[in-house]
Amino acid sequence: MGENDRLRDYRGKRDFGRTREPQGSAETSGAQPRFVVQIHDARTLHFDFRLQVDDVLKSWSVPKGPSDDPQDKRLAMPTEDHPLEYEDFEGVIPRGEYGGGTVIVWDIGTYEPLSHDRKGRPVDFGESIERGHATFRLSGSKLHGEYALTRFRDGLDGEREAWLLVKAGKGGAHGHGTPDPYRARSVRTGRTLGQVAADGDEG
Ligand code: MN
């Protein structure tokens, strides 16, 4: 599938005359794949967890955000593929538009795909997501280490498809879990959601 097809849902939901979110045109690079975690103060506040797979960002809405405690299983609801440039998006989506509300870039970095089959052989990362179980090691400013995304509800029975995002490893958290989203600061600009909302489109 080409990028144009993969971004059809994304573009179909948005009026680019009104929102400053990117339309998507970036080429994929040969470097390590990237990830981004945004905090999105929309109708309900949530984190958006995105992993670059080829030329798009595969995306999940994570109501409570990622945790660094392996005991925490965080619900992750898949959302439409986003363009690669979305990792830079921070600002205010106008009220009334799709996803209207404030977005900050909470964490950003690269990841190492770790997905393997039952015999321990590496498998294509995009395929592992299609099949509903992917493992990867994050190298971000805030998030580090191995995580897994696992589909537990396929959505075929009319319920929404649902996944879990879980930190791999033994023992408890090493860091501080997930911060209060309203106090958390952008890794790009150091601003909180409130500051970005107050700055409007100037940021
Ligand atoms: Mn969102």
Side-chain angles (χ1 to χ4, degrees):
M1 228 182 347
E3 186 209 37
N4 279 337
D5 295 318
R6 299 180 72 171
L7 293 177
R8 190 177 47 204
D9 285 355
Y10 172 86
R11 293 192 179 112
K13 290 172 188 283
R14 290 169 174 79
D15 176 354
F16 294 105
R18 296 193 38 86
T19 178
R20 285 160 50 102
E21 294 165 288
Q23 295 187 48
S25 58
E27 300 285 319
T28 179
S29 75
Q32 270 215 300
R34 304 187 56 77
F35 82 93
V36 60
V37 182
Q38 281 147 323
I39 303 179
H40 187 181
D41 189 13
R43 196 154 40 94
T44 54
L45 183 133
H46 58 275
F47 290 68
D48 285 300
F49 186 83
R50 312 186 198 280
L51 295 173
Q52 178 188 0
V53 177
D54 302 325
D55 52 8
V56 295
L57 295 171
K58 303 301 285 185
S59 297
W60 292 261
S61 171
V62 183
K64 290 186 173 175
S67 174
D68 64 357
D69 184 343
Q71 311 284 348
D72 289 338
K73 294 177 168 55
R74 292 291 164 85
L75 179 66
M77 309 297 279
T79 58
E80 75 277 17
D81 293 350
H82 278 51
L84 298 181
E85 304 98 299
Y86 212 91
E87 71 166 57
D88 292 324
F89 181 75
E90 182 166 289
V92 178
I93 301 169
R95 195 174 298 174
E97 296 305 301
Y98 180 75
T102 308
V103 177
I104 62 170
V105 178
W106 180 64
D107 197 15
I108 206 161
T110 60
Y111 74 90
E112 179 188 351
L114 300 174
S115 297
H116 51 266
D117 65 16
R118 289 200 183 91
K119 291 179 177 167
R121 294 173 300 207
V123 296
D124 179 78
F125 190 77
E127 258 178 52
S128 74
I129 287 181
E130 295 292 318
R131 290 179 187 172
H133 181 65
T135 53
F136 45 91
R137 184 176 295 112
L138 299 178
S139 302
S141 296
K142 293 164 180 161
L143 295 177
H144 302 278
E146 196 178 327
Y147 283 78
L149 270 165
T150 307
R151 185 166 55 214
F152 68 93
R153 204 165 70 202
D154 62 18
L156 299 177
D157 55 4
E159 287 192 279
R160 267 187 80 186
E161 184 182 327
W163 296 57
L164 292 173
L165 174 65
V166 184
K167 179 92 192 287
K170 297 188 178 101
H174 305 290
H176 309 283
T178 307
D180 175 350
Y182 292 107
R183 291 171 156 242
R185 290 185 180 276
S186 162
V187 71
R188 289 183 66 230
T189 62
R191 295 180 298 171
T192 62
L193 281 168
Q195 287 168 335
V196 170
D199 290 350
D201 272 345
E202 292 161 36

